[in-house]
PDB file of all heavy atoms in Angstrom:
ATOM      1  N   LEU A   1       0.812  -1.210   0.000  1.00 80.00           N
ATOM      2  CA  LEU A   1       0.000   0.000   0.000  1.00 80.00           C
ATOM      3  C   LEU A   1       0.849   1.265   0.000  1.00 80.00           C
ATOM      4  O   LEU A   1       0.601   2.192  -0.766  1.00 80.00           O
ATOM      5  CB  LEU A   1      -0.942  -0.004   1.211  1.00 80.00           C
ATOM      6  CG  LEU A   1      -1.921   1.169   1.303  1.00 80.00           C
ATOM      7  CD1 LEU A   1      -2.784   1.247   0.045  1.00 80.00           C
ATOM      8  CD2 LEU A   1      -2.813   1.015   2.527  1.00 80.00           C
ATOM      9  N   ALA A   2       1.864   1.305   0.862  1.00 81.00           N
ATOM     10  CA  ALA A   2       2.722   2.490   0.942  1.00 81.00           C
ATOM     11  C   ALA A   2       3.438   2.733  -0.382  1.00 81.00           C
ATOM     12  O   ALA A   2       3.551   3.878  -0.849  1.00 81.00           O
ATOM     13  CB  ALA A   2       3.728   2.325   2.079  1.00 81.00           C
ATOM     14  N   THR A   3       3.918   1.664  -1.017  1.00 84.00           N
ATOM     15  CA  THR A   3       4.609   1.788  -2.305  1.00 84.00           C
ATOM     16  C   THR A   3       3.655   2.298  -3.377  1.00 84.00           C
ATOM     17  O   THR A   3       4.019   3.134  -4.214  1.00 84.00           O
ATOM     18  CB  THR A   3       5.181   0.428  -2.730  1.00 84.00           C
ATOM     19  OG1 THR A   3       6.028  -0.061  -1.691  1.00 84.00           O
ATOM     20  CG2 THR A   3       5.977   0.553  -4.010  1.00 84.00           C
ATOM     21  N   TYR A   4       2.437   1.803  -3.350  1.00 86.00           N
ATOM     22  CA  TYR A   4       1.415   2.227  -4.306  1.00 86.00           C
ATOM     23  C   TYR A   4       1.124   3.718  -4.170  1.00 86.00           C
ATOM     24  O   TYR A   4       1.094   4.462  -5.160  1.00 86.00           O
ATOM     25  CB  TYR A   4       0.154   1.404  -4.071  1.00 86.00           C
ATOM     26  CG  TYR A   4      -1.062   1.873  -4.825  1.00 86.00           C
ATOM     27  CD1 TYR A   4      -1.157   1.729  -6.208  1.00 86.00           C
ATOM     28  CD2 TYR A   4      -2.130   2.449  -4.146  1.00 86.00           C
ATOM     29  CE1 TYR A   4      -2.282   2.161  -6.899  1.00 86.00           C
ATOM     30  CE2 TYR A   4      -3.262   2.877  -4.829  1.00 86.00           C
ATOM     31  CZ  TYR A   4      -3.333   2.729  -6.204  1.00 86.00           C
ATOM     32  OH  TYR A   4      -4.440   3.160  -6.875  1.00 86.00           O
ATOM     33  N   LEU A   5       0.950   4.182  -2.949  1.00 89.00           N
ATOM     34  CA  LEU A   5       0.657   5.598  -2.711  1.00 89.00           C
ATOM     35  C   LEU A   5       1.846   6.475  -3.086  1.00 89.00           C
ATOM     36  O   LEU A   5       1.681   7.571  -3.631  1.00 89.00           O
ATOM     37  CB  LEU A   5       0.294   5.807  -1.239  1.00 89.00           C
ATOM     38  CG  LEU A   5      -1.020   5.149  -0.783  1.00 89.00           C
ATOM     39  CD1 LEU A   5      -1.189   5.304   0.719  1.00 89.00           C
ATOM     40  CD2 LEU A   5      -2.221   5.745  -1.514  1.00 89.00           C
ATOM     41  N   GLN A   6       3.042   5.994  -2.815  1.00 89.00           N
ATOM     42  CA  GLN A   6       4.250   6.743  -3.166  1.00 89.00           C
ATOM     43  C   GLN A   6       4.374   6.908  -4.677  1.00 89.00           C
ATOM     44  O   GLN A   6       4.746   7.967  -5.172  1.00 89.00           O
ATOM     45  CB  GLN A   6       5.488   6.029  -2.617  1.00 89.00           C
ATOM     46  CG  GLN A   6       6.789   6.788  -2.848  1.00 89.00           C
ATOM     47  CD  GLN A   6       7.979   6.066  -2.240  1.00 89.00           C
ATOM     48  OE1 GLN A   6       7.846   4.984  -1.687  1.00 89.00           O
ATOM     49  NE2 GLN A   6       9.149   6.665  -2.350  1.00 89.00           N
ATOM     50  N   GLU A   7       4.047   5.865  -5.416  1.00 91.00           N
ATOM     51  CA  GLU A   7       4.117   5.927  -6.870  1.00 91.00           C
ATOM     52  C   GLU A   7       3.068   6.883  -7.427  1.00 91.00           C
ATOM     53  O   GLU A   7       3.332   7.629  -8.377  1.00 91.00           O
ATOM     54  CB  GLU A   7       3.922   4.525  -7.456  1.00 91.00           C
ATOM     55  CG  GLU A   7       4.009   4.450  -8.968  1.00 91.00           C
ATOM     56  CD  GLU A   7       5.361   4.872  -9.517  1.00 91.00           C
ATOM     57  OE1 GLU A   7       6.344   4.857  -8.745  1.00 91.00           O
ATOM     58  OE2 GLU A   7       5.435   5.227 -10.712  1.00 91.00           O
ATOM     59  N   LEU A   8       1.883   6.879  -6.854  1.00 90.00           N
ATOM     60  CA  LEU A   8       0.853   7.817  -7.282  1.00 90.00           C
ATOM     61  C   LEU A   8       1.288   9.257  -7.029  1.00 90.00           C
ATOM     62  O   LEU A   8       1.065  10.146  -7.853  1.00 90.00           O
ATOM     63  CB  LEU A   8      -0.458   7.531  -6.542  1.00 90.00           C
ATOM     64  CG  LEU A   8      -1.219   6.270  -6.955  1.00 90.00           C
ATOM     65  CD1 LEU A   8      -2.426   6.065  -6.056  1.00 90.00           C
ATOM     66  CD2 LEU A   8      -1.677   6.354  -8.416  1.00 90.00           C
ATOM     67  N   LYS A   9       1.918   9.487  -5.902  1.00 89.00           N
ATOM     68  CA  LYS A   9       2.399  10.830  -5.571  1.00 89.00           C
ATOM     69  C   LYS A   9       3.495  11.262  -6.528  1.00 89.00           C
ATOM     70  O   LYS A   9       3.586  12.437  -6.896  1.00 89.00           O
ATOM     71  CB  LYS A   9       2.913  10.843  -4.123  1.00 89.00           C
ATOM     72  CG  LYS A   9       3.225  12.230  -3.598  1.00 89.00           C
ATOM     73  CD  LYS A   9       1.965  13.061  -3.424  1.00 89.00           C
ATOM     74  CE  LYS A   9       2.248  14.408  -2.806  1.00 89.00           C
ATOM     75  NZ  LYS A   9       1.023  15.234  -2.683  1.00 89.00           N
ATOM     76  N   ARG A  10       4.335  10.328  -6.938  1.00 89.00           N
ATOM     77  CA  ARG A  10       5.399  10.646  -7.894  1.00 89.00           C
ATOM     78  C   ARG A  10       4.824  11.032  -9.247  1.00 89.00           C
ATOM     79  O   ARG A  10       5.305  11.950  -9.910  1.00 89.00           O
ATOM     80  CB  ARG A  10       6.318   9.434  -8.059  1.00 89.00           C
ATOM     81  CG  ARG A  10       7.529   9.688  -8.963  1.00 89.00           C
ATOM     82  CD  ARG A  10       8.215   8.393  -9.346  1.00 89.00           C
ATOM     83  NE  ARG A  10       7.339   7.572 -10.169  1.00 89.00           N
ATOM     84  CZ  ARG A  10       7.170   7.782 -11.484  1.00 89.00           C
ATOM     85  NH1 ARG A  10       7.788   8.795 -12.093  1.00 89.00           N
ATOM     86  NH2 ARG A  10       6.378   7.001 -12.170  1.00 89.00           N
ATOM     87  N   ALA A  11       3.756  10.332  -9.666  1.00 88.00           N
ATOM     88  CA  ALA A  11       3.152  10.596 -10.970  1.00 88.00           C
ATOM     89  C   ALA A  11       2.272  11.846 -10.970  1.00 88.00           C
ATOM     90  O   ALA A  11       2.106  12.490 -11.994  1.00 88.00           O
ATOM     91  CB  ALA A  11       2.333   9.377 -11.404  1.00 88.00           C
ATOM     92  N   ASP A  12       1.713  12.190  -9.817  1.00 86.00           N
ATOM     93  CA  ASP A  12       0.803  13.332  -9.718  1.00 86.00           C
ATOM     94  C   ASP A  12       1.131  14.101  -8.439  1.00 86.00           C
ATOM     95  O   ASP A  12       0.761  13.700  -7.350  1.00 86.00           O
ATOM     96  CB  ASP A  12      -0.641  12.834  -9.695  1.00 86.00           C
ATOM     97  CG  ASP A  12      -1.665  13.970  -9.608  1.00 86.00           C
ATOM     98  OD1 ASP A  12      -1.257  15.147  -9.587  1.00 86.00           O
ATOM     99  OD2 ASP A  12      -2.869  13.675  -9.559  1.00 86.00           O
ATOM    100  N   GLN A  13       1.830  15.220  -8.586  1.00 85.00           N
ATOM    101  CA  GLN A  13       2.275  15.984  -7.428  1.00 85.00           C
ATOM    102  C   GLN A  13       1.112  16.520  -6.601  1.00 85.00           C
ATOM    103  O   GLN A  13       1.252  16.764  -5.399  1.00 85.00           O
ATOM    104  CB  GLN A  13       3.174  17.147  -7.873  1.00 85.00           C
ATOM    105  CG  GLN A  13       4.487  16.706  -8.514  1.00 85.00           C
ATOM    106  CD  GLN A  13       5.358  15.927  -7.549  1.00 85.00           C
ATOM    107  OE1 GLN A  13       5.497  16.274  -6.375  1.00 85.00           O
ATOM    108  NE2 GLN A  13       5.953  14.842  -8.036  1.00 85.00           N
ATOM    109  N   GLU A  14      -0.034  16.710  -7.223  1.00 89.00           N
ATOM    110  CA  GLU A  14      -1.205  17.219  -6.520  1.00 89.00           C
ATOM    111  C   GLU A  14      -2.105  16.102  -5.998  1.00 89.00           C
ATOM    112  O   GLU A  14      -3.174  16.362  -5.466  1.00 89.00           O
ATOM    113  CB  GLU A  14      -2.011  18.138  -7.450  1.00 89.00           C
ATOM    114  CG  GLU A  14      -1.243  19.368  -7.909  1.00 89.00           C
ATOM    115  CD  GLU A  14      -0.800  20.244  -6.746  1.00 89.00           C
ATOM    116  OE1 GLU A  14      -1.575  20.378  -5.779  1.00 89.00           O
ATOM    117  OE2 GLU A  14       0.312  20.784  -6.809  1.00 89.00           O
ATOM    118  N   PHE A  15      -1.683  14.865  -6.193  1.00 89.00           N
ATOM    119  CA  PHE A  15      -2.437  13.730  -5.666  1.00 89.00           C
ATOM    120  C   PHE A  15      -2.495  13.832  -4.143  1.00 89.00           C
ATOM    121  O   PHE A  15      -1.500  14.100  -3.484  1.00 89.00           O
ATOM    122  CB  PHE A  15      -1.757  12.424  -6.087  1.00 89.00           C
ATOM    123  CG  PHE A  15      -2.218  11.209  -5.335  1.00 89.00           C
ATOM    124  CD1 PHE A  15      -3.473  10.670  -5.568  1.00 89.00           C
ATOM    125  CD2 PHE A  15      -1.401  10.609  -4.386  1.00 89.00           C
ATOM    126  CE1 PHE A  15      -3.899   9.543  -4.878  1.00 89.00           C
ATOM    127  CE2 PHE A  15      -1.820   9.486  -3.693  1.00 89.00           C
ATOM    128  CZ  PHE A  15      -3.072   8.948  -3.941  1.00 89.00           C
ATOM    129  N   MET A  16      -3.680  13.633  -3.586  1.00 90.00           N
ATOM    130  CA  MET A  16      -3.847  13.753  -2.152  1.00 90.00           C
ATOM    131  C   MET A  16      -4.395  12.460  -1.571  1.00 90.00           C
ATOM    132  O   MET A  16      -5.288  11.837  -2.156  1.00 90.00           O
ATOM    133  CB  MET A  16      -4.810  14.891  -1.809  1.00 90.00           C
ATOM    134  CG  MET A  16      -4.812  15.268  -0.330  1.00 90.00           C
ATOM    135  SD  MET A  16      -6.191  16.359   0.112  1.00 90.00           S
ATOM    136  CE  MET A  16      -7.447  15.167   0.541  1.00 90.00           C
ATOM    137  N   PHE A  17      -3.834  12.044  -0.452  1.00 90.00           N
ATOM    138  CA  PHE A  17      -4.370  10.879   0.234  1.00 90.00           C
ATOM    139  C   PHE A  17      -4.218  11.071   1.736  1.00 90.00           C
ATOM    140  O   PHE A  17      -3.376  11.836   2.215  1.00 90.00           O
ATOM    141  CB  PHE A  17      -3.651   9.590  -0.205  1.00 90.00           C
ATOM    142  CG  PHE A  17      -2.225   9.488   0.286  1.00 90.00           C
ATOM    143  CD1 PHE A  17      -1.933   8.901   1.515  1.00 90.00           C
ATOM    144  CD2 PHE A  17      -1.178   9.972  -0.488  1.00 90.00           C
ATOM    145  CE1 PHE A  17      -0.625   8.809   1.965  1.00 90.00           C
ATOM    146  CE2 PHE A  17       0.141   9.882  -0.040  1.00 90.00           C
ATOM    147  CZ  PHE A  17       0.414   9.296   1.189  1.00 90.00           C
ATOM    148  N   LYS A  18      -5.049  10.365   2.464  1.00 91.00           N
ATOM    149  CA  LYS A  18      -4.968  10.361   3.913  1.00 91.00           C
ATOM    150  C   LYS A  18      -5.125   8.923   4.372  1.00 91.00           C
ATOM    151  O   LYS A  18      -6.168   8.303   4.172  1.00 91.00           O
ATOM    152  CB  LYS A  18      -6.052  11.245   4.531  1.00 91.00           C
ATOM    153  CG  LYS A  18      -5.905  11.407   6.051  1.00 91.00           C
ATOM    154  CD  LYS A  18      -6.904  12.407   6.601  1.00 91.00           C
ATOM    155  CE  LYS A  18      -6.722  12.587   8.107  1.00 91.00           C
ATOM    156  NZ  LYS A  18      -7.697  13.558   8.666  1.00 91.00           N
ATOM    157  N   LEU A  19      -4.069   8.403   4.972  1.00 88.00           N
ATOM    158  CA  LEU A  19      -4.037   7.012   5.400  1.00 88.00           C
ATOM    159  C   LEU A  19      -4.008   6.944   6.921  1.00 88.00           C
ATOM    160  O   LEU A  19      -3.214   7.635   7.561  1.00 88.00           O
ATOM    161  CB  LEU A  19      -2.803   6.313   4.828  1.00 88.00           C
ATOM    162  CG  LEU A  19      -2.511   4.896   5.333  1.00 88.00           C
ATOM    163  CD1 LEU A  19      -3.621   3.938   4.914  1.00 88.00           C
ATOM    164  CD2 LEU A  19      -1.160   4.410   4.809  1.00 88.00           C
ATOM    165  N   GLU A  20      -4.865   6.127   7.483  1.00 87.00           N
ATOM    166  CA  GLU A  20      -4.875   5.927   8.929  1.00 87.00           C
ATOM    167  C   GLU A  20      -4.765   4.438   9.229  1.00 87.00           C
ATOM    168  O   GLU A  20      -5.355   3.601   8.541  1.00 87.00           O
ATOM    169  CB  GLU A  20      -6.148   6.499   9.555  1.00 87.00           C
ATOM    170  CG  GLU A  20      -6.188   8.018   9.537  1.00 87.00           C
ATOM    171  CD  GLU A  20      -7.268   8.594  10.437  1.00 87.00           C
ATOM    172  OE1 GLU A  20      -8.018   7.795  11.044  1.00 87.00           O
ATOM    173  OE2 GLU A  20      -7.367   9.832  10.542  1.00 87.00           O
ATOM    174  N   THR A  21      -3.983   4.137  10.255  1.00 84.00           N
ATOM    175  CA  THR A  21      -3.808   2.754  10.683  1.00 84.00           C
ATOM    176  C   THR A  21      -4.287   2.604  12.121  1.00 84.00           C
ATOM    177  O   THR A  21      -4.550   3.583  12.813  1.00 84.00           O
ATOM    178  CB  THR A  21      -2.320   2.342  10.596  1.00 84.00           C
ATOM    179  OG1 THR A  21      -1.538   3.203  11.442  1.00 84.00           O
ATOM    180  CG2 THR A  21      -1.819   2.448   9.165  1.00 84.00           C
ATOM    181  N   ILE A  22      -4.380   1.364  12.550  1.00 84.00           N
ATOM    182  CA  ILE A  22      -4.802   1.066  13.910  1.00 84.00           C
ATOM    183  C   ILE A  22      -3.994  -0.130  14.403  1.00 84.00           C
ATOM    184  O   ILE A  22      -3.598  -0.990  13.613  1.00 84.00           O
ATOM    185  CB  ILE A  22      -6.320   0.766  13.950  1.00 84.00           C
ATOM    186  CG1 ILE A  22      -6.806   0.675  15.388  1.00 84.00           C
ATOM    187  CG2 ILE A  22      -6.660  -0.483  13.156  1.00 84.00           C
ATOM    188  CD1 ILE A  22      -8.324   0.557  15.501  1.00 84.00           C
ATOM    189  N   LYS A  23      -3.709  -0.171  15.695  1.00 85.00           N
ATOM    190  CA  LYS A  23      -2.937  -1.283  16.244  1.00 85.00           C
ATOM    191  C   LYS A  23      -3.836  -2.494  16.455  1.00 85.00           C
ATOM    192  O   LYS A  23      -4.928  -2.395  16.997  1.00 85.00           O
ATOM    193  CB  LYS A  23      -2.292  -0.880  17.570  1.00 85.00           C
ATOM    194  CG  LYS A  23      -1.082   0.029  17.423  1.00 85.00           C
ATOM    195  CD  LYS A  23      -0.401   0.253  18.764  1.00 85.00           C
ATOM    196  CE  LYS A  23       0.851   1.110  18.611  1.00 85.00           C
ATOM    197  NZ  LYS A  23       1.538   1.303  19.907  1.00 85.00           N
ATOM    198  N   ASN A  24      -3.326  -3.659  16.013  1.00 80.00           N
ATOM    199  CA  ASN A  24      -4.078  -4.891  16.240  1.00 80.00           C
ATOM    200  C   ASN A  24      -3.720  -5.479  17.609  1.00 80.00           C
ATOM    201  O   ASN A  24      -3.018  -4.854  18.406  1.00 80.00           O
ATOM    202  CB  ASN A  24      -3.810  -5.906  15.121  1.00 80.00           C
ATOM    203  CG  ASN A  24      -2.334  -6.298  15.030  1.00 80.00           C
ATOM    204  OD1 ASN A  24      -1.542  -6.040  15.942  1.00 80.00           O
ATOM    205  ND2 ASN A  24      -1.976  -6.934  13.935  1.00 80.00           N
ATOM    206  N   GLY A  25      -4.184  -6.682  17.873  1.00 82.00           N
ATOM    207  CA  GLY A  25      -3.954  -7.297  19.178  1.00 82.00           C
ATOM    208  C   GLY A  25      -2.499  -7.572  19.479  1.00 82.00           C
ATOM    209  O   GLY A  25      -2.115  -7.722  20.650  1.00 82.00           O
ATOM    210  N   ARG A  26      -1.652  -7.626  18.439  1.00 82.00           N
ATOM    211  CA  ARG A  26      -0.217  -7.877  18.630  1.00 82.00           C
ATOM    212  C   ARG A  26       0.604  -6.595  18.653  1.00 82.00           C
ATOM    213  O   ARG A  26       1.828  -6.632  18.635  1.00 82.00           O
ATOM    214  CB  ARG A  26       0.299  -8.799  17.516  1.00 82.00           C
ATOM    215  CG  ARG A  26      -0.316 -10.196  17.554  1.00 82.00           C
ATOM    216  CD  ARG A  26       0.115 -11.010  16.355  1.00 82.00           C
ATOM    217  NE  ARG A  26      -0.426 -10.451  15.119  1.00 82.00           N
ATOM    218  CZ  ARG A  26      -0.132 -10.932  13.914  1.00 82.00           C
ATOM    219  NH1 ARG A  26       0.692 -11.951  13.793  1.00 82.00           N
ATOM    220  NH2 ARG A  26      -0.663 -10.386  12.849  1.00 82.00           N
TER     221      ARG A  26
END
């Protein structure tokens, strides 16, 4: 996922995303 978003940002400087994560039981 991170690589995918990074590539999109490289191709489109105005590309915007907001990613949120959450901690699992481990």
Side-chain angles (χ1 to χ4, degrees):
L1 183 57
T3 304
Y4 171 70
L5 293 174
Q6 184 178 2
E7 181 62 20
L8 288 175
K9 189 68 176 178
R10 184 193 65 80
D12 181 1
Q13 295 297 318
E14 298 300 322
F15 165 72
M16 192 192 90
F17 70 89
K18 187 174 182 180
L19 172 65
E20 290 194 358
T21 60
I22 189 173
K23 284 187 177 181
N24 61 15
R26 295 174 294 176

